[in-house]
Every structure is written in structure tokens, then in C-alpha cells.
Amino acid sequence: MPEPLLVVKDVQKHFGGVHAIRGCSFQVAGKSITGLVGPNGCGKTTMFNLVTGTFRPDSGAIVFAGRDVAGLRPHVMARLGVARTFQLTRVFKSMSILQNMLTVPSEQPAGERTRWAAEVLDAVGLAGQPETTAGNLSFGDQKLLEFARIFMLRPKLVLLDEIFAGISPALQERQMNVIRDFQTRFGVTFLVVDHTMRVIMNLCQEVLVMNQGQILARGTPAEVSHDQRVIEAYLGHRTTTKGGDNRGA
Amino acid sequence: MNTPGWFAALLQVIINGLLVGGVYALSAAGLNLVFGVLKVANIAHGDFMMLGAMTAYAVSLKLGLSPYAAMLVAAIVLAGIGALTQRFLVERVIHSPMFVSLLLLFAVSMILRNGALHVWGPTYVSLSHDSSVWTVGPLSFTKLRVAVFALGLGLTLALLWLLQKTAFGQSLRATAQHMDLAEACGINVRRVRMQAFALGTAIAAMSGALLVMLFSVNPSMGEIFVLKCFAIVVVGGLGSFSGAFAGAMIIGVAETLTSYYAATQLSDVTVFLLFLIVLVFRPSGVLGGKAT
Amino acid sequence: MKNSKFLRLAPWVVALVALLVVPFTASGYITALFLSLLMYVTLAYGWNIISGYTGYVSFGQVAFFGVGGYTCAILAKGGVHWLVGSLVGGLVAGLLAILLGLVMLRLKGAYFAVGMLGLTQLFVALAGALKRVTNGSTGIFLPPSLTLVPVYLTMLGLALAAIIGTIFLHRSAFGLRLMAIREDEEAAESLGIHTTVYKIIAFSISAVIVAIAGGVMTWYVSFIDPQSAFPASLNLTMVIMAVFGGPGTVWGPLVGATSLGLIAELLWARYPGLYLVIYGIILLLIILYIPRGVVPSLGDFLRRRGEPVRKRRSGAVA
Ligand SMILES: Nc1ncnc2c1ncn2[C@@H]1O[C@H](COP(=O)(O)OP(=O)(O)OP(=O)(O)O)[C@@H](O)[C@H]1O
Ligand SMILES: [Mg+2]
């Protein structure tokens, strides 16, 4: 098995009386595409917030590239190479597409950054009018822009929170291709949260199943989807094959 | 009595502070109410207090009403002004980002304050009508202060009763907690917002009318008092009524202590310093009220 | 190509030359009027950096006006040249803003706005209380300045610096990141922007600009006391002018400060009490009908009319 890029060990997180993460442990292999699935409210987004430094874990360790990063500020995590998208899309609405991309700090010279921005925009299919104001884009295009923007960080690890929800299968296909492409060309590691099982099955080499703040099962998509515990966890929650729609944050 | 002199003096100062605190508590409750239901920081609150004070003063003088009757008139007038302000101004930006309603009420504050300065001029007025005292041992209680404190306290409790025990209060609280859900449950949230704002300005007016019985005030009073109210609300924890009550007492006492033992000019320094320190380091209030 | 660039710059050059000759040719009244306008322009640009670009709406930048004013007055009293005094005032305010920013900028939205209002009142109260330094409510009297010209030229330079600085800011990566903080601070942070540092720098730059203006104006009126150091009216006008023109835009503060500044001077002479009421009404109307301000709304209007927009507003980072 390849070196794990991210190791989460026995992490706990409370919100007042809510025990959101209950001793969660898992590993994400470097240069892999790993899925993270689980019923609504099981703690996937909270786990992302812990890994990216938005929240500090109550206890437990978060090790990224061999370094304990628990509690580091989000901007530090970003500089270390951990990028994330938000479940509710957060583009800078009054700025143009290109400005959204160029806002991201980097050590690269300006010319190189602009070229890279163009390349990424082209890959996701937003190269058309870089001067368009982001707020005027369709919902799907805003999601694409947020997705594209994180690659300006030249990240090592990318956390994607339901970027496939509510967009057309054609666009989903395109995003999947971009993910695979960045994985093979640049060795980027992806941790993908989604309720769209078709995407998870197609895209991921390994799937982690979360339930009530813990990892319940892990394995290949085929193994996991036949695991009795997983099916039980989902029972009564939702059908596992349908695309995600109107869920709360 | 063998109470040492310094102790009696200290006790007296603290009592005076607590007595003023009653009015502050009432005013802060109005600010809290508007923030809770509308999620709007009413930066014109102090100017509504001022309008209440000036209206009570004018009514009492022109119509020869008692200051307490004048207070009720001021409350009714200001409830009307508040309802109109909400319906035609605040309601239109209620779904905009926070800073829009903030700037809007900032504009309202400018208009009220400078309009009042234009109409009444910068002279200080007061309705103080009684200076008799009760004496208990070494302590003395100005009857007027006690009456004003009792009224402030009584009105605050009445507001709490209204919020907790009546159907009207129920709809206000439902809207405060979950605007969308309240709407889905058939509550007319637009009307509730208007009622809450009108009630908030009426409360501001009553506290202003009570203040003008204790102190001299002028049309610029809002500038300081809005900050005092925010200080109280922040010290007590935003949205917490019992916290605001404690906050009012803390601010009242801090003020009188500074005036007595340091200098009168420093009392504002103390209040704003307390305000900023709490705002920055304990944003959920010193009493650990609701976090925001 | 060269020609068109020249044509575009020509009006600005003419305006600048006109502004430069004003104090030498126009009457004292007109010069004083222009001085006021230049001060408004400067203050509106100062406010725009922290509140327009970064989105931290401050109702208390006038605190730095007073800090600059007092620094200049105290130094001038001790024999330092007023221009040096004003610049030192800017420096003091800038450093103070870094310290204050560390705590104040942790506040968000209404908390920051009201907190800054409270901070200003604190400064007023302190200025009255620290008699040894500020001479309390008696104030500090300075020798009257005999000529307006140096004061005027200094304010012109300051206003120009603020405008040109904003032009660069708007096109820079730094400015882009301030806007990102305004749009969504959490997202900005997730993209590796150290938001605290950016906010404090913006706050400090804003303070420096406002404070230097405060120093220059204090020398101009030869007097300072707690009321004149932190004038509530200025606190209001700098907000209104920037919001009127268009906060977070390059030209908004200029348009807002000159138009409303002219109105203020006219109204001020005739209805000294009412002009702030009228200002309040203007602010109300702006917020209700064109919340983005005159400049962006006018831009939209022209674009809809199908007029060719010559300026390619690619704020893209070079
Ligand atoms: N900031 C917060 N404050 C309080 N509770 C929170 C907070 N964030 C998350 N929670 C709680 O933690 C639990 C896990 O929430 P989380 O958003 O991580 O779930 P999720 O797996 O992402 O769900 P979904 O699939 O619906 O996005 C929920 O009970 C939620 O209410
Ligand atoms: Mg989630």
C-alpha cells in the first residue's frame, strides 16, 4: 500500500451537547481518489472542517504529509497544500472568473499564474469568458469555478464536499475527468464526499463509510456497497443510488 | 449606627448606580428585542430614546401632564414612528447583508438627531419634579430615583411577561428563533417584525422619558446612550434578557463609581472601555449568555 | 496609440493644473472651499480602503483624524514644523491602528461598526480626561497660519496620493484579496489568504490617510479640542460620501466627496443645522434605491444603453 498522505487518528469533536465526531480514524493514500460517504449529518463536513483547520479537534491527531497539523489555521493548511470546496458554493460573486482564480496567493511569477489559471479554466470548461462576473454564472458554473479555483493553490490534497450535487450528468462526467487527470498528471490526492453513488463508484479507488461520527467500513466501492453494516446504516435514510438534492448544509 | 463613613459612601454610590440601572435595563431590553426578532442592530436606538425624552418633555410642559402620563404619550407616539420606520425602511432591506440595514439605521439616526437639534436646539432639558428623600440610617434614597427604578424594573418585567406568557410573545419568539419556520407555521412574520420594532422604539421612548426625569438631556443624547445600551447588551450577552438586566446594573454601578471616586468625565471612559473589553474578549457576555 | 493615451490623460492634466493654480489665483473663500473638498476626498478614500474594499464598515475612522490632529498640534506646539507633525501623526495613527486592529478586527459586521463608534467615544472621553497631554476641554491653540497655500497643496498631494494609491490597489493582488475578504472571509482563508494580516494592513493604511488629513486640518484651523478633533459630522460625511459614490470602487469616493462636498458647503452656509438631516435623507435614498452607489449604477446604465465601454475594466492582476 502507498504512503498515507493523511492520517486521522481517534479524533473527537463536540458542539455543545452534540457529539459530532466520535473517535474517527482513517487514512488516505497518497495520489489516490478516496470516497467518503455516509448518511446526512454523520459528520463528513465536520471532518473536512477539522482537517482544514476551520475547527480544532477536542482530541486526537491529524497528520498530513508526516506532520501533526491539528489546530493549524485554515490559511496555513492551504499553504501546506490542503485545498477544499464548500458544500454551499462560495465563489467571490462580485469578481470576474479570472479574478476569482488570481486571488489565490502563490509564489509563482504572475505570467505563470495567469497561464495556469487559463489552463485550469480550460480543463473545467470555463475558458470562454474569463471576464464574466462570477455572481452572474449559473449555479453549476459557480460550482465549477469554485472547483477550478482550488487548483490555483497547486494542492497536494483536495477535499471536495458534494461538488456533484445538483449538476447535470454531463458536467459531472467532465469534473470526474478533471479529477482523474490531475491525479495522474500531478499526483494530486482527492477525498471526495458525495451522495451520488454513481460518481463514487466510478471515480474512487477506495471508499470510507462514515456513520454517527465514526468510520464504519472501508474497501473498494464494490466491497463497501455489499457490506451489510453499510446497508443498515443507510436504511431509512435515503436510497443510495439517487443523485443528491435539496439537503441542508 | 457604627458603619464607617467610607463604607456608607460606597454603599450609597452603589445604590445610586443600581437605581439608574433600572432605566438602562429597560432601554437595553428594547434593543435586545429588535435584535432578536429582526436580526438588526438598531444603531438609531439612542435617538429613539431621545425622541421619547423630548416628546415627554414637550407634552408634559405644553399639556401640563404629569411626567408619568407624558411617558405613556411618548411611548404611543414613538411606537407609531417605529412602526413606520420599520414598514417603509427597515423591512425593505431585511434580507440584505447586515451592513445595509446598519447604514440605513445610521441614516435614520442622523436624520432624527440633527432634525431634533434643528427643532429644539442643543439646550438641555429636564423634567425633574421632586427631590425629596427617604433616609435609612446613613443612606438616603431620592424618592424620584426609586420611583423611576421601580418603573423601569416593572416595565422590563412586563415586557418579559409579554414575551413569555402571551400568544403575541410566542409569535415574536418563534420569529426570533426561526424566521422561515415561523413563516411556514402561518405566522405573518412581516407584521411580527413591525410589531417588534414598534415595541422596541416604544420601550426606548419610555426609558428616554424616565431618563429626562433624572438627568438633563439634549437632542444629542442618543450618541452616548446608544453605545451604553450596546455596552449593556454586550456585557450581558446579546439576546439574553436576564443578562442585559445584570449588564445594566454593572454599567450603572461602574458609571457612578467612576464619577464618585475618579472624575465625572471618566465615567464614559469606563463604560466604553468595559464595552470594548467585553466585546473583544468575551463576545458571549461576562455571564456566558448565548454565544453569537 | 500614443495619441489616444495622451487624449485620455489630457483632462486629468488640465484638472490637476487647474487645482494647482487655485490657491494662487482664486479668492480665499474659493481656496478654502477647495481645501474642504480635497479633505472630503481624502477621508472618503481613507474610509473606502477598510470599509469599501475589505467590507469592515467602520463608524469610527474619525478616531484617527483626531489622533493625527492631536499629534500634529502637540508637536507643532513644541516647535516642530506642522508638515512633519502631520506625517508623524499619520505614523502614530498607523501604528495605533495595527494594535487596535489586532483586537477590533476580530469583530464582525455590526459588532465592528458599533465597536468603532464606541472606540471614537472613548477617544473623545480620553482627550478630555488626559489634560496633561491634550489640555483637556480647553484645547490647544496654535499660531494662526498666515497663508493657505502650503496647507492647500499638502491636502492636494494627499488626496492625489489616496486616489492613485487606490487605482493601484484596485488592480493589485493585494486589493483583490481585500475584496475576497469582503465577499467571503472564510473562503478567502481557505485559499491561503492570511486574512488577519490583510485586514490590519488595510485598517492601518486607512488610518494613516485619515490621520494626516487630521493633522493638516488642525494646523489650518490653529486649534484643537476633543470636539473639533473627533467631529461627529465628519465621521458621518466620510461614510456617506463613499457610500454615495460607490464603496469599493476607484472613482466612487471622488464622485461622492466632490458632489456631496459641494452640497455640504452650500447648505452649510445657509442651513448650518439642516445639512446633516439632508445628508441622512440622501443616504437613505441611496441605500434604498442604488445600494451599490452612483458610479457602478451609472456604469451599468451606460452599458445597458449599449454605449461602448472604452475602459476595459480588467482588474486582472499583472
Ligand atoms: N458549527 C456547528 N455547530 C453545531 N453543530 C454542528 C456544527 N457543524 C455540524 N454540526 C452538527 O454535527 C453533525 C454532523 O454534521 P455535518 O455537517 O458534518 O454532517 P454531514 O455528514 O456533512 O451531513 P450532510 O450529508 O447533510 O452534509 C450534525 O449533527 C450537525 O448538526
Ligand atoms: Mg455535509
Side-chain angles (χ1 to χ4, degrees), chain A residues 177-197:
Chain A
N177 285 335
V178 174
I179 292 171
R180 291 190 191 103
D181 182 46
F182 276 103
Q183 181 207 18
T184 47
R185 266 168 62 209
F186 302 104
V188 180
T189 308
F190 289 88
L191 184 59
V192 184
V193 162
D194 221 278
H195 290 286
T196 320
M197 278 305 153

Side-chain angles (χ1 to χ4, degrees), chain A residues 51 71 81 87 90 128 204 225 230:
Chain A
V51 171
Q87 191 164 346
R90 300 175 94 157
C204 301
S225 62
V230 175

Side-chain angles (χ1 to χ4, degrees), chain B residues 240-288:
Chain B
S240 152
F241 282 89
S242 52
F245 188 80
M249 298 302 152
I250 292 173
I251 295 283
V253 171
E255 229 176 52
T256 45
L257 280 178
T258 324
S259 302
Y260 188 78
Y261 290 103
T264 314
Q265 306 97 292
L266 281 180
S267 74
D268 286 347
V269 175
T270 310
V271 172
F272 298 134
L273 218 50
L274 206 61
F275 169 48
L276 289 173
I277 289 170
V278 173
L279 192 55
V280 170
F281 296 104
R282 276 306 300 269
S284 59
V286 274
L287 302 169

Side-chain angles (χ1 to χ4, degrees), chain C residues 2-12:
Chain C
K2 240 191 168 138
N3 228 338
S4 83
K5 189 166 187 179
F6 174 76
L7 277 178
R8 257 204 296 150
L9 280 176
W12 297 106

Side-chain angles (χ1 to χ4, degrees), chain A residues 27-167:
Chain A
Q27 302 190 348
V28 176
K31 304 186 180 24
S32 73
I33 303 176
T34 306
L36 179 61
V37 301
N40 289 128
C42 70
K44 305 179 294 292
T45 299
T46 305
M47 203 58 241
F48 273 17
N49 284 330
L50 289 165
V51 171
T52 56
T54 308
F55 299 149
R56 178 189 288 272
D58 296 342
S59 64
I62 298 174
V63 180
F64 172 71
R67 175 174 172 191
D68 187 359
V69 293
L72 291 184
R73 307 276 306 130
H75 64 90
V76 179
M77 292 307 297
R79 294 295 183 107
L80 288 177
V82 179
R84 59 98 55 97
T85 63
F86 292 90
Q87 191 164 346
L88 294 172
T89 313
R90 300 175 94 157
V91 295
F92 304 128
K93 292 210 168 84
S94 77
M95 299 187 196
S96 73
I97 291 179
L98 191 61
Q99 283 177 323
N100 261 277
M101 303 291 283
L102 296 177
T103 298
V104 181
S106 91
E107 268 86 63
Q108 252 116 39
E112 170 60 16
R113 289 172 59 211
T114 318
R115 197 199 54 71
W116 177 238
E119 186 178 331
V120 176
L121 284 175
D122 190 46
V124 303
L126 278 178
Q129 321 93 323
E131 303 293 334
T132 310
T133 307
N136 295 340
L137 293 172
S138 70
F139 173 76
D141 282 352
Q142 289 192 15
K143 283 215 134 176
L144 285 180
L145 174 57
E146 192 188 11
F147 175 61
R149 195 174 59 187
I150 56 178
F151 293 105
M152 294 307 290
L153 278 168
R154 307 258 182 182
K156 298 188 183 76
L157 173 64
V158 170
L159 310 177
L160 300 174
D161 202 349
E162 305 203 14
I163 61 162
F164 299 99
I167 65 171

